């Protein structure tokens, strides 16, 4: 996640208790419409979820590769 994405998430989090930021402030702050901001937030979250999943899956892939090597050697 880059700095701009982190700023967007921090901004959205800070406004969440109040129903979200005002449209004119979103445009002034980020140069985005509220719809574009929503799209960007969804994209950031999806990308972070995918990155996190990859990090969690990495050790399992090593185990699977090791098991496959052992199976090939044992055959």
């Amino acid at each position: 996640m880059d700095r701009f994405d982190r700023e967007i998430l921090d901004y959205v989090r800070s406004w969440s208790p109040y129903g979200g930021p005002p449209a004119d402030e979103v445009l002034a702050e980020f140069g985005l419409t509220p719809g574009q901001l929503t799209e960007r937030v969804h994209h950031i979250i999806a990308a972070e979820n995918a990155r996190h999943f990859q990090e969690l899956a990495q050790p399992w892939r090593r185990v699977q590769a090791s098991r496959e090597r052992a199976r090939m050697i044992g055959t």
Side-chain angles (χ1 to χ4, degrees):
M1 177 181 338
D2 65 16
R3 181 177 173 200
F4 186 67
D5 288 348
R6 186 166 282 114
E7 287 175 7
I8 286 175
L9 290 182
D10 289 343
Y11 180 79
V12 169
R13 267 191 230 120
S14 71
W15 274 101
S16 66
Y18 311 105
D24 58 335
E25 190 170 316
V26 171
L27 188 60
E29 188 74 26
F30 298 106
L32 301 170
T33 65
Q36 290 170 324
L37 180 70
T38 299
E39 261 184 59
R40 185 72 181 248
V41 168
H42 286 279
H43 174 76
I44 294 166
I45 291 169
E48 285 301 302
N49 281 340
R51 185 185 63 77
H52 186 65
F53 177 78
Q54 291 299 320
E55 287 177 5
L56 291 175
Q58 194 69 353
W60 177 247
R61 286 190 189 108
R62 284 194 295 270
V63 167
Q64 293 296 81
S66 177
R67 286 180 181 169
E68 183 64 22
R69 281 191 301 274
R71 187 180 67 76
M72 297 296 274
I73 292 170
T75 308

